[in-house]
Amino acid sequence: MRRLLALIFAVSVWLCAISPASASLDHLTPCSESAAFQARKAQFLNTTGDPNSGANRFERYSQALCGDEGYPHLIVDGRFSHMGDFLIPSLLFLYITGWIGWAGRSYLQAIQKGKNPEEKEVIIDVPVAFSKMLMAASWPLLAFKEITTGEMFAKDDEIPVSPR
């Protein structure tokens, strides 16, 4: 019965599979030339104290590529001409998340050397945490150093092995 259900599932997935999407940009036009995008100009409201913030945002989006519906599209295909669409924000995201993770890791390692480490996990020692946070800004270099020296990895005799 299991094999029959697995076969039915596999065949239904195979028959209902969606064809791969096209990666061509032929269907996109520059937003500055898109009539649907130009019609949305009144929707760009001022969101800051600057009275021209809506117009400035409209001008920035006019440099992007728009679909038929008039919305700007992100181009994530690896081309350097569209690097600002995805690559730069994603690298910045990875750097910031690494910074946060490295700061937490180094804080936990630092409090393990003192007394009452469990208490300092709940009641954070702010001066230590702040110093670790500032130091973690250079986490890619610190990680490279720890990887090359072997400090990041546990020794084989420190890893518990199940007796089974």
Side-chain angles (χ1 to χ4, degrees):
M1 187 65 172
R2 271 190 193 168
R3 288 183 183 174
L4 178 62
L5 288 175
L7 180 64
I8 292 171
F9 178 71
V11 170
S12 65
V13 167
W14 180 54
L15 292 175
C16 298
I18 299 172
S19 61
S22 172
S24 74
L25 303 177
D26 297 338
H27 65 286
L28 299 176
T29 60
C31 291
S32 59
E33 300 171 10
S34 170
F37 178 77
Q38 297 296 327
R40 296 182 188 280
K41 186 171 187 173
Q43 295 176 357
F44 284 85
L45 303 175
N46 295 333
T47 56
T48 64
D50 181 14
N52 296 325
S53 67
N56 292 340
R57 194 168 58 255
F58 179 79
E59 290 302 319
R60 282 193 305 272
Y61 282 135
S62 294
Q63 299 169 5
L65 295 175
C66 284
D68 296 334
E69 74 285 344
Y71 288 119
H73 288 239
L74 291 178
I75 309 301
V76 186
D77 62 356
R79 297 179 194 172
F80 286 113
S81 60
H82 297 286
M83 189 171 23
D85 286 357
F86 185 75
L87 185 64
I88 293 171
S90 62
L91 291 177
L92 187 60
F93 171 79
L94 291 174
Y95 174 75
I96 291 170
T97 55
W99 185 350
I100 293 168
W102 196 272
R105 175 182 178 266
S106 59
Y107 175 77
L108 290 174
Q109 288 175 341
I111 64 171
Q112 291 298 321
K113 297 173 184 169
K115 58 180 181 177
N116 287 337
E118 294 84 11
E119 181 181 317
K120 288 191 176 188
E121 282 186 30
V122 177
I123 303 170
I124 296 176
D125 186 354
V126 175
V128 173
F130 190 72
S131 69
K132 297 300 177 186
M133 185 187 69
L134 290 177
M135 180 192 67
S138 61
W139 75 266
L141 299 174
L142 296 170
F144 181 75
K145 178 189 132 291
E146 286 194 12
I147 289 171
T148 55
T149 61
E151 183 182 342
M152 182 175 281
F153 308 107
K155 312 291 184 276
D156 286 341
D157 60 343
E158 295 175 352
I159 299 173
V161 179
S162 175
R164 292 189 227 174

